[in-house]
Tab-separated table of all heavy atoms in Angstrom:
chain	number	residue	atom	x	y	z
A	901	LEU	N	7.090	72.801	-34.450
A	901	LEU	CA	7.103	73.572	-33.201
A	901	LEU	C	6.994	72.646	-32.009
A	901	LEU	O	6.134	71.742	-31.972
A	901	LEU	CB	5.935	74.558	-33.195
A	901	LEU	CG	5.957	75.672	-34.244
A	901	LEU	CD1	4.669	76.465	-34.203
A	901	LEU	CD2	7.166	76.583	-34.021
A	902	ASP	N	7.860	72.863	-31.028
A	902	ASP	CA	7.755	72.125	-29.759
A	902	ASP	C	6.505	72.576	-29.024
A	902	ASP	O	6.165	73.763	-28.989
A	902	ASP	CB	8.998	72.375	-28.899
A	902	ASP	CG	10.253	71.769	-29.498
A	902	ASP	OD1	10.116	70.792	-30.257
A	902	ASP	OD2	11.351	72.284	-29.237
A	903	GLY	N	5.815	71.600	-28.388
A	903	GLY	CA	4.603	71.924	-27.641
A	903	GLY	C	3.361	71.996	-28.487
A	903	GLY	O	2.292	72.353	-27.977
A	904	VAL	N	3.449	71.656	-29.782
A	904	VAL	CA	2.292	71.639	-30.670
A	904	VAL	C	2.032	70.188	-31.081
A	904	VAL	O	2.905	69.544	-31.650
A	904	VAL	CB	2.515	72.518	-31.920
A	904	VAL	CG1	1.342	72.400	-32.864
A	904	VAL	CG2	2.720	73.971	-31.498
A	905	GLU	N	0.836	69.702	-30.784
A	905	GLU	CA	0.524	68.280	-30.996
A	905	GLU	C	-0.718	68.135	-31.887
A	905	GLU	O	-1.719	68.823	-31.690
A	905	GLU	CB	0.265	67.595	-29.651
A	905	GLU	CG	-0.163	66.136	-29.764
A	905	GLU	CD	-0.617	65.565	-28.434
A	905	GLU	OE1	-0.701	66.328	-27.460
A	905	GLU	OE2	-0.885	64.363	-28.391
A	906	LEU	N	-0.646	67.238	-32.840
A	906	LEU	CA	-1.770	66.942	-33.726
A	906	LEU	C	-2.272	65.532	-33.430
A	906	LEU	O	-1.506	64.569	-33.449
A	906	LEU	CB	-1.356	67.045	-35.189
A	906	LEU	CG	-1.260	68.450	-35.787
A	906	LEU	CD1	-0.668	68.391	-37.182
A	906	LEU	CD2	-2.628	69.116	-35.827
A	907	GLU	N	-3.565	65.416	-33.151
A	907	GLU	CA	-4.186	64.110	-32.918
A	907	GLU	C	-5.058	63.790	-34.110
A	907	GLU	O	-5.947	64.551	-34.465
A	907	GLU	CB	-5.032	64.144	-31.639
A	907	GLU	CG	-5.690	62.834	-31.296
A	907	GLU	CD	-6.592	62.954	-30.093
A	907	GLU	OE1	-6.093	62.776	-28.967
A	907	GLU	OE2	-7.796	63.247	-30.271
A	908	GLU	N	-4.820	62.641	-34.735
A	908	GLU	CA	-5.552	62.296	-35.950
A	908	GLU	C	-6.623	61.236	-35.667
A	908	GLU	O	-6.470	60.384	-34.809
A	908	GLU	CB	-4.614	61.798	-37.032
A	908	GLU	CG	-3.868	60.528	-36.704
A	908	GLU	CD	-2.932	60.103	-37.823
A	908	GLU	OE1	-2.375	60.973	-38.499
A	908	GLU	OE2	-2.774	58.874	-37.994
A	909	LYS	N	-7.724	61.346	-36.403
A	909	LYS	CA	-8.789	60.344	-36.335
A	909	LYS	C	-9.612	60.448	-37.619
A	909	LYS	O	-9.503	61.415	-38.383
A	909	LYS	CB	-9.687	60.587	-35.111
A	909	LYS	CG	-10.460	61.875	-35.150
A	909	LYS	CD	-11.374	61.983	-33.946
A	909	LYS	CE	-12.186	63.278	-33.977
A	909	LYS	NZ	-13.102	63.394	-32.821
A	910	TYR	N	-10.453	59.442	-37.842
A	910	TYR	CA	-11.305	59.436	-39.032
A	910	TYR	C	-12.699	59.955	-38.658
A	910	TYR	O	-13.183	59.743	-37.546
A	910	TYR	CB	-11.428	58.032	-39.604
A	910	TYR	CG	-10.237	57.621	-40.428
A	910	TYR	CD1	-9.141	56.990	-39.841
A	910	TYR	CD2	-10.189	57.891	-41.792
A	910	TYR	CE1	-8.042	56.626	-40.590
A	910	TYR	CE2	-9.094	57.520	-42.552
A	910	TYR	CZ	-8.028	56.892	-41.944
A	910	TYR	OH	-6.943	56.532	-42.696
A	911	ALA	N	-13.309	60.647	-39.605
A	911	ALA	CA	-14.662	61.180	-39.409
A	911	ALA	C	-15.418	61.116	-40.721
A	911	ALA	O	-14.821	61.089	-41.808
A	911	ALA	CB	-14.604	62.614	-38.882
A	912	ARG	N	-16.746	61.110	-40.625
A	912	ARG	CA	-17.590	61.074	-41.810
A	912	ARG	C	-17.569	62.436	-42.473
A	912	ARG	O	-17.631	63.477	-41.802
A	912	ARG	CB	-19.009	60.685	-41.417
A	912	ARG	CG	-19.868	60.147	-42.572
A	912	ARG	CD	-19.367	58.843	-43.082
A	912	ARG	NE	-20.368	58.119	-43.890
A	912	ARG	CZ	-20.092	57.118	-44.665
A	912	ARG	NH1	-18.818	56.712	-44.776
A	912	ARG	NH2	-21.032	56.488	-45.340
A	913	TYR	N	-17.517	62.438	-43.793
A	913	TYR	CA	-17.429	63.695	-44.539
A	913	TYR	C	-18.432	63.653	-45.690
A	913	TYR	O	-18.567	62.633	-46.377
A	913	TYR	CB	-16.016	63.897	-45.078
A	913	TYR	CG	-15.853	65.115	-45.959
A	913	TYR	CD1	-16.149	66.386	-45.497
A	913	TYR	CD2	-15.417	64.976	-47.272
A	913	TYR	CE1	-16.008	67.497	-46.306
A	913	TYR	CE2	-15.262	66.083	-48.097
A	913	TYR	CZ	-15.564	67.346	-47.605
A	913	TYR	OH	-15.430	68.436	-48.409
A	914	TYR	N	-19.113	64.770	-45.879
A	914	TYR	CA	-20.140	64.893	-46.915
A	914	TYR	C	-19.708	65.984	-47.896
A	914	TYR	O	-19.950	67.182	-47.653
A	914	TYR	CB	-21.489	65.207	-46.287
A	914	TYR	CG	-21.889	64.201	-45.251
A	914	TYR	CD1	-21.551	64.376	-43.909
A	914	TYR	CD2	-22.556	63.032	-45.582
A	914	TYR	CE1	-21.885	63.441	-42.940
A	914	TYR	CE2	-22.910	62.087	-44.655
A	914	TYR	CZ	-22.567	62.298	-43.324
A	914	TYR	OH	-22.889	61.355	-42.374
A	915	PRO	N	-19.049	65.609	-48.991
A	915	PRO	CA	-18.469	66.608	-49.908
A	915	PRO	C	-19.507	67.509	-50.579
A	915	PRO	O	-19.166	68.594	-51.043
A	915	PRO	CB	-17.716	65.756	-50.932
A	915	PRO	CG	-18.324	64.407	-50.853
A	915	PRO	CD	-18.763	64.237	-49.447
A	916	GLN	N	-20.768	67.077	-50.645
A	916	GLN	CA	-21.800	67.899	-51.283
A	916	GLN	C	-22.552	68.767	-50.281
A	916	GLN	O	-23.558	69.384	-50.640
A	916	GLN	CB	-22.808	66.984	-52.037
A	916	GLN	CG	-22.180	65.938	-52.919
A	916	GLN	CD	-21.286	66.514	-53.982
A	916	GLN	OE1	-21.461	67.650	-54.414
A	916	GLN	NE2	-20.293	65.737	-54.427
A	917	ASP	N	-22.078	68.805	-49.042
A	917	ASP	CA	-22.693	69.597	-47.990
A	917	ASP	C	-24.183	69.231	-47.824
A	917	ASP	O	-24.496	68.092	-47.580
A	917	ASP	CB	-22.499	71.088	-48.241
A	917	ASP	CG	-21.033	71.500	-48.110
A	917	ASP	OD1	-20.328	70.872	-47.288
A	917	ASP	OD2	-20.580	72.408	-48.826
A	918	ASP	N	-25.084	70.204	-48.038
A	918	ASP	CA	-26.499	69.964	-47.744
A	918	ASP	C	-27.327	69.512	-48.948
A	918	ASP	O	-28.539	69.365	-48.846
A	918	ASP	CB	-27.136	71.233	-47.164
A	918	ASP	CG	-27.074	72.408	-48.142
A	918	ASP	OD1	-26.467	72.250	-49.217
A	918	ASP	OD2	-27.635	73.472	-47.813
A	919	VAL	N	-26.703	69.251	-50.086
A	919	VAL	CA	-27.440	68.973	-51.315
A	919	VAL	C	-28.328	67.733	-51.146
A	919	VAL	O	-29.482	67.703	-51.577
A	919	VAL	CB	-26.489	68.785	-52.511
A	919	VAL	CG1	-27.251	68.335	-53.750
A	919	VAL	CG2	-25.771	70.097	-52.794
A	920	ALA	N	-27.804	66.687	-50.504
A	920	ALA	CA	-28.570	65.442	-50.357
A	920	ALA	C	-28.751	65.072	-48.897
A	920	ALA	O	-28.994	63.904	-48.560
A	920	ALA	CB	-27.860	64.310	-51.086
A	921	ALA	N	-28.714	66.056	-48.010
A	921	ALA	CA	-28.792	65.778	-46.570
A	921	ALA	C	-30.101	65.096	-46.190
A	921	ALA	O	-30.145	64.268	-45.274
A	921	ALA	CB	-28.615	67.075	-45.774
A	922	ASP	N	-31.209	65.438	-46.879
A	922	ASP	CA	-32.513	64.869	-46.527
A	922	ASP	C	-32.547	63.359	-46.716
A	922	ASP	O	-33.285	62.652	-46.031
A	922	ASP	CB	-33.616	65.485	-47.409
A	922	ASP	CG	-33.416	66.984	-47.566
A	922	ASP	OD1	-33.424	67.679	-46.550
A	922	ASP	OD2	-33.207	67.439	-48.714
A	923	VAL	N	-31.752	62.857	-47.643
A	923	VAL	CA	-31.702	61.420	-47.937
A	923	VAL	C	-30.552	60.745	-47.201
A	923	VAL	O	-30.726	59.688	-46.597
A	923	VAL	CB	-31.587	61.182	-49.454
A	923	VAL	CG1	-31.433	59.692	-49.747
A	923	VAL	CG2	-32.801	61.733	-50.176
A	924	ILE	N	-29.373	61.358	-47.229
A	924	ILE	CA	-28.172	60.729	-46.682
A	924	ILE	C	-28.184	60.726	-45.167
A	924	ILE	O	-27.806	59.760	-44.522
A	924	ILE	CB	-26.912	61.431	-47.208
A	924	ILE	CG1	-26.916	61.420	-48.739
A	924	ILE	CG2	-25.660	60.748	-46.673
A	924	ILE	CD1	-27.013	60.039	-49.333
A	925	GLY	N	-28.623	61.843	-44.534
A	925	GLY	CA	-28.569	61.943	-43.072
A	925	GLY	C	-27.180	62.281	-42.590
A	925	GLY	O	-26.413	62.949	-43.277
A	926	TYR	N	-26.818	61.783	-41.402
A	926	TYR	CA	-25.515	62.060	-40.841
A	926	TYR	C	-25.154	61.019	-39.790
A	926	TYR	O	-26.012	60.247	-39.340
A	926	TYR	CB	-25.474	63.468	-40.211
A	926	TYR	CG	-26.232	63.563	-38.884
A	926	TYR	CD1	-25.564	63.467	-37.671
A	926	TYR	CD2	-27.610	63.745	-38.868
A	926	TYR	CE1	-26.247	63.542	-36.465
A	926	TYR	CE2	-28.301	63.829	-37.666
A	926	TYR	CZ	-27.614	63.723	-36.472
A	926	TYR	OH	-28.295	63.789	-35.283
A	927	VAL	N	-23.878	60.983	-39.383
A	927	VAL	CA	-23.431	60.146	-38.269
A	927	VAL	C	-22.926	61.070	-37.170
A	927	VAL	O	-22.425	62.176	-37.431
A	927	VAL	CB	-22.327	59.152	-38.687
A	927	VAL	CG1	-22.841	58.197	-39.718
A	927	VAL	CG2	-21.103	59.899	-39.217
A	928	ASP	N	-23.036	60.631	-35.905
A	928	ASP	CA	-22.592	61.444	-34.781
A	928	ASP	C	-21.114	61.240	-34.507
A	928	ASP	O	-20.397	60.573	-35.258
A	928	ASP	CB	-23.424	61.153	-33.536
A	928	ASP	CG	-23.347	59.681	-33.102
A	928	ASP	OD1	-22.435	58.976	-33.592
A	928	ASP	OD2	-24.171	59.245	-32.292
A	929	LYS	N	-20.622	61.787	-33.388
A	929	LYS	CA	-19.212	61.699	-33.049
A	929	LYS	C	-18.785	60.276	-32.733
A	929	LYS	O	-17.604	59.957	-32.819
A	929	LYS	CB	-18.911	62.621	-31.851
A	929	LYS	CG	-19.069	64.100	-32.170
A	929	LYS	CD	-18.715	64.947	-30.977
A	929	LYS	CE	-18.851	66.440	-31.305
A	929	LYS	NZ	-18.513	67.298	-30.133
């Protein structure tokens, strides 16, 4: 589609969601 633009970038992803959040933590933007 004309006028539709996708901007790509890399981001941190946690496939187990909250299962190990207390240990793993997170990264910001």
